[in-house]
Amino acid sequence: MRIVIAGAGEVGTHLAKMLSNEEQNIYLMDADAKKLERAAHHLEVLPVEGSPTLLEDLERAHVEGADLFVAVTPDESANIMASMLAKRVGAKRTIARINNYSYLESEYSTLMEELGVDWLIYPEELAAEEIAAITRYPWVRQYVMLFNGALALIGVKVRAGSPIVGKPLHSLRELEPGAEKHYHIVAIQRDFETIIPRGDTEIQHNDLVFFTCSIDHVDYVRQLSGKHAPTVRRMVIMGASPVALRTIAKVSPGIEIALIEIDKEKCLKLSEQLPPNVEIYHGDGRDPEIIKEVNLEDAQIFVSLTENSETNVLACLAAKRYKVYKTVAKEENIDYIPLAYRLDIGTLINKKLLAAGYIYRILLGQETGQVPCLSLVNNAEVVELVARRDSKIVGRRISELKLPPNITFGGMVRNGQPCMVEGDTILEPYDHVVIFYHDISINELQRLF
């Protein structure tokens, strides 16, 4: 495939990194020569200096006939215009990053398609969806629905005292009631290392463990992880950012929300717009007086969404002193994310990683189904694949397949019914299978299927 990415910022370069692992031909375009030079040093891309809103520069970037054109510059108008021009030049599919939620409304979708923009990406909406999911499952670090909700992928931080800590995976079957397998452990993140586990892999204190299970067995995974599930009655949000406002629109109206904002003018404006379950407070969320005023000790979730990443991390560390069950911080610097996780502050939200992962799903999803990108795990992804009648894996036991060591089957859906995959499972044509893989190309997986 030939892919042109306009914008060599963090979204564009991270997307280029993900796609370069898939052996794609990638042109990275930007008006800033220094950004392109930095990207070209560590990525397999063809840099093109120029503006995506000029036809002559699009021609130099080989947009004509490109399989995908992605515009992810900071300028919303430039992204939309560039996508329109790219489609006219001959790009097969176009994606534009936007900064305005209104463009996602239904009345704009048909117009955008007519203009040549196939998809719109609003990173703030993706971040809000992540936070809203946390209010439903506050005990998880990450929750992803697979196969339209038939299976769930759950990331959980496990501690000493959990039933699974200190035990090899092959011994965990003894903990399951009955003969049916209820879950599968697909990956473990241990500090900066990603482990695709085997039967003798032992789970350790502070591991981030990723499970797949059917929706009916999510609570079983919670118990197995040694977590309790508090009822979320109150949450405190620091910073009335676009992510915060989209989050408020998505969470249950039964949850009381205290919104802290330092800008007095914004507070007055929002006080007339927010729903009745939200109370806005003017002040600095790091101020002890505001903390008392919002009754942080009564909250189950604290979310810091200011434009300063360091402030967000520190605010979450402070919230932990008030015994808040779940803390969430927006961290905009991708390079700092591993370090921030070492502080054990809870869940980190990065709009740029979410946007890059979403675009990655759009591209690969045309042939493979949804492909959730796990940004919390180094170089690891989950892919949904359909077993074709003539594929190499059909009709053979999983244990007989000579699979690379960094691949594991997380589960499957057969005739609409979700189930786990074991060593003696024999795949049939049209089984929908979820695979967790690390440091290999998606092309290698597609050859198997």
Side-chain angles (χ1 to χ4, degrees):
M1 282 189 177
R2 177 151 42 95
I3 301 165
V4 181
I5 302 172
E10 286 191 299
V11 176
T13 53
H14 189 75
L15 177 62
K17 179 181 178 181
M18 295 167 70
L19 294 173
S20 64
N21 293 334
E22 308 302 336
E23 303 169 7
Q24 313 289 358
N25 294 319
I26 302 166
Y27 291 80
L28 184 60
M29 186 179 192
D30 202 286
D32 189 330
K34 291 183 178 179
K35 285 184 179 179
L36 291 173
E37 186 179 356
R38 285 195 296 269
H41 274 314
H42 61 276
L43 296 175
E44 292 185 11
V45 297
L46 296 167
V48 179
E49 185 180 350
S51 169
T53 58
L54 294 177
L55 288 172
E56 57 267 33
D57 290 347
L58 291 176
E59 290 172 3
R60 287 194 301 107
H62 299 274
V63 170
E64 183 179 359
D67 295 280
L68 181 67
F69 175 83
V70 183
V72 286
T73 76
D75 189 333
E76 174 185 74
S77 299
N79 293 336
I80 294 173
M81 175 62 75
S83 297
M84 291 164 52
L85 293 174
K87 182 58 76 76
R88 295 295 173 91
V89 168
K92 296 176 184 177
R93 289 173 287 170
T94 61
I95 302 175
R97 176 185 177 178
I98 59 173
N99 302 320
N100 189 337
Y101 171 74
S102 298
Y103 286 134
L104 295 180
E105 300 288 353
S106 57
E107 57 262 33
Y108 284 100
S109 59
T110 302
L111 174 62
M112 287 295 177
E113 286 181 22
E114 290 174 353
L115 292 173
V117 185
D118 296 314
W119 287 282
L120 294 172
I121 304 298
Y122 182 49
E124 286 76 6
E125 183 77 358
L126 303 175
E129 288 173 359
E130 292 265 325
I131 298 169
I134 288 168
T135 65
R136 296 189 293 271
Y137 303 102
W139 52 277
V140 308
R141 287 292 176 94
Q142 189 164 17
Y143 183 94
V144 178
M145 288 191 296
L146 304 169
F147 300 121
N148 297 318
L151 293 176
L153 174 68
I154 303 169
V156 188
K157 190 87 166 184
V158 296
R159 314 285 186 184
S162 163
I164 61 175
V165 169
K167 296 183 174 68
L169 264 58
H170 64 72
S171 69
L172 298 184
R173 195 62 187 271
E174 302 169 5
L175 302 176
E176 293 195 68
E180 181 188 359
K181 186 178 182 182
H182 297 309
Y183 69 93
H184 182 59
I185 294 177
V186 292
I188 298 169
Q189 185 178 1
R190 184 171 295 157
D191 291 328
F192 299 113
E193 179 186 8
T194 299
I195 302 168
I196 300 296
R198 292 291 175 256
D200 58 352
T201 302
E202 187 175 296
I203 297 174
Q204 298 179 8
H205 169 70
N206 265 346
D207 279 351
L208 181 56
V209 182
F210 287 87
F211 299 80
T212 51
C213 67
S214 69
I215 299 300
D216 293 338
H217 293 126
V218 169
D219 198 59
Y220 178 76
V221 169
R222 177 190 64 77
Q223 296 173 41
L224 199 66
S225 304
K227 301 291 184 178
H228 72 278
T231 300
V232 178
R233 300 180 305 276
R234 182 176 179 81
M235 67 186 295
V236 175
I237 301 177
M238 178 174 157
S241 65
V243 175
L245 300 182
R246 291 307 307 149
T247 298
I248 289 169
K250 290 178 178 295
V251 301
S252 167
I255 297 175
E256 294 179 2
I257 300 174
L259 178 61
I260 304 171
E261 172 55 47
I262 199 167
D263 187 328
K264 188 174 183 179
E265 206 170 297
K266 186 184 284 189
C267 289
L268 293 172
K269 184 178 178 181
L270 289 175
S271 64
E272 301 173 357
Q273 303 172 1
L274 294 172
N277 64 314
V278 182
E279 190 169 358
I280 191 162
Y281 295 82
H282 171 241
D284 188 333
R286 295 166 295 182
D287 184 346
E289 293 301 316
I290 284 287
I291 296 299
K292 287 181 182 178
E293 194 175 346
V294 300
N295 296 321
L296 182 60
E297 64 273 10
D298 292 334
Q300 289 74 47
I301 298 178
F302 174 81
V303 186
S304 190
L305 299 172
T306 75
E307 296 307 312
N308 187 298
S309 297
E310 290 78 10
T311 295
N312 294 336
V313 171
L314 291 172
C316 285
L317 290 173
K320 279 189 167 292
R321 296 184 180 179
Y322 288 85
K323 308 300 181 184
V324 176
Y325 181 84
K326 182 72 173 183
T327 57
V328 182
K330 186 177 76 167
E331 173 57 70
E332 285 302 292
N333 191 322
I334 292 175
D335 294 334
Y336 289 167
I337 287 178
L339 179 60
Y341 264 110
R342 294 292 292 270
L343 296 174
D344 200 23
I345 64 166
T347 296
L348 293 172
I349 298 290
N350 183 281
K351 296 183 300 182
K352 298 162 187 174
L353 282 177
L354 290 170
Y358 189 81
I359 296 167
Y360 184 76
R361 293 200 295 274
I362 287 175
L363 173 63
L364 298 182
Q366 300 306 298
E367 297 181 356
T368 64
Q370 290 184 325
V371 187
C373 166
L374 295 186
S375 57
L376 303 188
V377 182
N378 300 326
N379 304 319
E381 287 88 30
V382 173
V383 60
E384 296 174 5
L385 294 169
V386 179
R388 294 186 173 91
R389 186 175 293 277
D390 59 348
S391 63
K392 298 177 182 179
I393 63 169
V394 166
R396 300 169 62 189
R397 287 183 171 84
I398 297 297
S399 58
E400 296 172 353
L401 300 174
K402 295 181 180 179
L403 298 173
N406 46 357
I407 292 177
T408 186
F409 287 76
M412 69 178 183
V413 175
R414 175 178 293 169
N415 299 323
Q417 296 299 315
C419 55
M420 294 294 101
V421 175
E422 302 191 70
D424 59 356
T425 299
I426 299 176
L427 294 180
E428 299 177 1
Y430 311 115
D431 282 346
H432 291 248
V433 185
V434 59
I435 293 178
F436 200 104
Y437 64 100
H438 173 56
D439 276 344
I440 67 167
S441 168
I442 187 68
N443 295 330
E444 188 174 345
L445 290 177
Q446 289 174 323
R447 282 192 288 269
L448 287 171
F449 279 77

